[in-house]
Amino acid sequence: MHKLVIVDDEYLVRLGIRETIDWAANGIEVIGDASNGKQGYEMIKELNPDLVITDIKMPIMNGVDLVKTLHKEGFNGEIVVLSGYKDFEYAKETFENGIFSYVVKPIDNDELLEVVLRAVAKLEQKIKDRTLTSKVQTELPTLQSEFMKKLLSSNSFVGSDIPSELSNHDISLPTNGTMALISIEEMFKSKKSELNIYINLLKEALSKEKIAFVDFDFQDSIVMFLNSNDIEKISLICRDTFIPFEQKTLTALTVGLTLYSSLEYIQKTYESCLKLVQSKLLFHLNTVEMELDDQTSYRHRQSISQFYSIIAEKYSMQLTVRSVSDEMNVSESYLMHLLKDNLGKTFNEILTGYRIGIAKRLLLSGKYRINEVSDKVGYIDVKYFSQVFKKIVGVTPSDYQGHDIG
C-alpha cells in the first residue's frame, strides 16, 4: 500500500477526498490529513508518505512554501497540487519544485484519482530505477573485474581499441605506469580474507606516497594499475606490507611488477606479470618497457626470460654467475648488469629469494624434513640454510614448519 497525506485548510475538502474515493481498492492508504502547510510539513516529516495532496492557499504556511521546503529537503514522494482557476498562475511556481501535477477546484473525484494513480506509476518506476541503479552499483566492481580478467587473459580483444573497450565499461586506468599482480598460492586460498586486510594496508601506503591506483579482484589474484613508474619504490612498499603477512599467516605470496608505457600494451604487461608469478620469483621485478619495436628492449626481455627459465629449472644445483651466463651465451658482466639494471637485484639475491620461496612451500607441505628441504633447494649445509631462511623469513625453518609463531 502506498501512503497518502492530505493537506487542505477546508475540513470538508479533506473529508471528501478521504471518504468519497475508494483509496484502498487502488492500493493507497490515507495515513493523515492536515489543515495548514506547517502542520502538513510536520506530519510528512514524521510519517514519510509516498504521496501528498496539498492545497495552495492555506494559513500559516501555504502550499507553495510547503512544496519548496519539501523539495529542498529531498522529499522522494510525489506531490499533487489543488488550485482554483484564479490561483493557477500562483500555483505554476510549484512546478519548478518538482510537483507531479495539479487538479483544479472544484475537485472531480475521477480526475483526482486518475492523476494520483499516474503519480503512483511514476513513483513505482522511480523505485525500480533506484533499485536497478543500486544493483548496478553493487555489482559493477564484480562486472568490471570479470571484464578485466577476460581482457587481460584471453584472445577475445586482440586487435581491439583497448582504451575504447575500457571506456565502454566505465573503467579509467593510468595511461602508463606499473601493473602489479598479487597472487596467493592455491594451498593457501583460505587465507584470502586475511590477505584482503593487507591489501587495504597496501592501498593506504600507496596513498601516503601519493601513488594513485585502480585494482581488480580476480578471485585467485589481484591486479593493480598504479600511476607511477618508480617500480623500486612500489617494490619496497609491497615488501614492507606483505612480508609481515607471510610471517604472520605462514602463507606463500607472489607479487609480479611490470612497467607499461601505454594502455595498448596492458595485455602483454599482464603476460609478463603472470610469467613472474608463475615462475615464483617472489617480489622480483620485470622493469622492461613493453615497446615491441625497440630491439634493445626486446633483447633484454628475451635474456631475462631465459634467465628465469634456468633459475626455475636448476635452482637446486650449485649455480653461479659464470655457469648461468655460459648457458645463456652472454658475458658475466652483461648478466650482472642485466639483472641489476632491470630487476634491481644481484644474481645471488634473486637465486636466494627463489630458493627460499620454494623452501617455504616445501616446509608447509609437511612432506619433508628440514634437511631434505635444504638439499632440494640447493643448500648442502643445513645450518647455513637455516641462517639464510631466518634472515629472509624472520623465523627458523622449524618454527615456520611447525607454525610455532606468536
Side-chain angles (χ1 to χ4, degrees), residues 231-260:
I231 204 163
E232 291 186 8
K233 176 185 281 189
I234 294 170
S235 173
L236 288 173
I237 294 172
C238 286
R239 286 174 179 274
D240 291 343
T241 302
F242 292 129
I243 287 178
F245 165 74
E246 287 196 318
Q247 292 174 343
K248 180 180 179 181
T249 62
L250 304 177
T251 301
L253 186 74
T254 308
V255 177
L257 301 176
T258 304
L259 287 173
Y260 66 95

Side-chain angles (χ1 to χ4, degrees), residues 65-259:
D65 290 338
L66 172 61
V67 170
K68 283 182 178 180
T69 302
L70 293 175
H71 178 71
K72 183 179 179 180
E73 296 187 3
F75 176 64
N76 289 320
E78 296 298 333
I79 302 173
V80 175
V81 166
L82 307 176
S83 68
Y85 282 110
K86 62 181 180 180
D87 301 323
F88 180 68
E89 290 300 320
Y90 184 52
K92 283 199 300 185
E93 187 177 349
T94 58
F95 281 93
E96 299 174 5
N97 292 282
I99 73 159
F100 174 75
S101 188
Y102 70 95
V103 174
V104 176
K105 290 182 176 180
I107 298 169
D108 178 281
N109 282 0
D110 291 337
E111 180 186 4
L112 177 60
L113 179 59
E114 188 269 334
V115 169
V116 171
L117 290 179
R118 283 194 289 112
V120 167
K122 182 181 178 182
L123 182 67
E124 290 177 344
Q125 186 59 51
K126 286 197 319 187
I127 293 172
K128 288 180 181 178
D129 290 344
R130 283 200 299 269
T131 302
L132 179 61
T133 300
S134 177
K135 183 177 181 181
V136 169
Q137 289 176 340
T138 301
E139 296 181 354
L140 185 59
T142 300
L143 296 174
Q144 289 177 329
S145 289
E146 290 174 354
F147 166 75
M148 285 300 298
K149 187 167 187 177
K150 185 177 181 181
L151 172 67
L152 295 175
S153 59
S154 75
N155 296 320
S156 304
F157 297 90
V158 173
S160 300
D161 182 346
I162 301 300
S164 295
E165 292 287 351
L166 293 170
S167 178
N168 291 340
H169 289 80
D170 197 25
I171 297 173
S172 178
L173 302 178
T175 54
N176 63 82
T178 303
M179 181 188 293
L181 177 59
I182 304 165
S183 179
I184 192 168
E185 288 294 294
E186 184 66 33
M187 63 189 294
F188 304 117
K189 293 299 184 184
S190 61
K191 302 289 186 180
K192 181 72 185 296
S193 60
E194 293 177 71
L195 173 60
N196 288 337
I197 296 173
Y198 284 83
I199 292 294
N200 289 332
L201 292 176
L202 175 63
K203 293 177 181 179
E204 291 177 9
L206 291 170
S207 298
K208 286 180 182 178
E209 293 295 330
K210 302 189 184 306
I211 299 176
F213 57 85
V214 181
D215 64 291
F216 302 93
D217 191 337
F218 287 2
Q219 299 300 318
D220 56 344
S221 60
I222 293 170
V223 175
M224 300 184 76
F225 293 83
L226 305 100
N227 73 336
S228 170
N229 294 312
D230 193 342
I231 204 163
E232 291 186 8
K233 176 185 281 189
I234 294 170
S235 173
L236 288 173
I237 294 172
C238 286
R239 286 174 179 274
D240 291 343
T241 302
F242 292 129
I243 287 178
F245 165 74
E246 287 196 318
Q247 292 174 343
K248 180 180 179 181
T249 62
L250 304 177
T251 301
L253 186 74
T254 308
V255 177
L257 301 176
T258 304
L259 287 173

